[in-house]
Amino acid sequence: MMTSVLSSKVDELYDYVQERFLWQFYSRTWDRTENIDGIVAEGTCILLGEATKRDTPTERLLAVEAKVMVDDFHARFPWLKDATAEEVRVLMSGLREKLTDVAITSSKNHELNHTLY
């Protein structure tokens, strides 16, 4: 369940991702979806101390991007270290949802789904 405190923390994480990372702005919907879902999922694993997937080049790329993001989160948001596993899951899920909404669902960029690309 998302409380107002967690919601404001999701906003903090989102604002930082928007300011710092370009991977959510790839040129096609499928690219954006793959990056957002993959990096946030890998970041969640890192935050929870779980193993990340690194078998394919794509998995290694997502894991590296997630590692950079998580390192930045720890440096910028000290409250994240005190979050429970459930709070981490809620925060990262909220981050993924907000990134997807802004970068894909609500995007006015009609080229995201252009059939000739």
Side-chain angles (χ1 to χ4, degrees):
M1 179 176 191
M2 180 86 68
T3 65
S4 63
V5 172
L6 287 178
S7 181
S8 76
K9 289 180 178 181
V10 167
D11 290 342
E12 288 180 53
L13 296 175
Y14 169 79
D15 289 343
Y16 186 72
V17 168
Q18 285 289 96
E19 171 188 309
R20 173 72 170 82
F21 300 104
L22 295 176
W23 42 257
Q24 78 269 14
F25 296 120
Y26 273 42
S27 59
R28 302 294 165 252
T29 295
W30 66 269
D31 276 333
R32 291 181 182 196
T33 301
E34 183 177 87
N35 285 335
I36 292 168
D37 291 351
I39 293 168
V40 172
E42 292 297 301
T44 303
C45 289
I46 294 168
L47 286 167
L48 296 174
E50 298 172 356
T52 59
K53 297 177 187 175
R54 296 183 183 191
D55 297 328
T56 68
T58 299
E59 289 171 344
R60 287 190 291 276
L61 173 67
L62 296 174
V64 167
E65 291 285 354
K67 174 80 168 102
V68 170
M69 180 183 71
V70 168
D71 287 348
D72 284 359
F73 283 178
H74 280 285
R76 190 166 182 113
F77 307 109
W79 48 258
L80 191 54
K81 293 174 185 157
D82 297 326
T84 66
E86 183 57 30
E87 288 171 335
V88 167
R89 286 185 187 92
V90 169
L91 288 166
M92 296 302 280
S93 175
L95 175 62
R96 184 189 56 76
E97 289 170 11
K98 190 161 185 170
L99 286 167
T100 299
D101 180 54
V102 172
I104 300 169
T105 308
S106 298
S107 176
K108 299 196 184 311
N109 181 352
H110 299 291
E111 290 183 8
L112 287 177
N113 298 307
H114 197 286
T115 57
L116 297 178
Y117 292 117

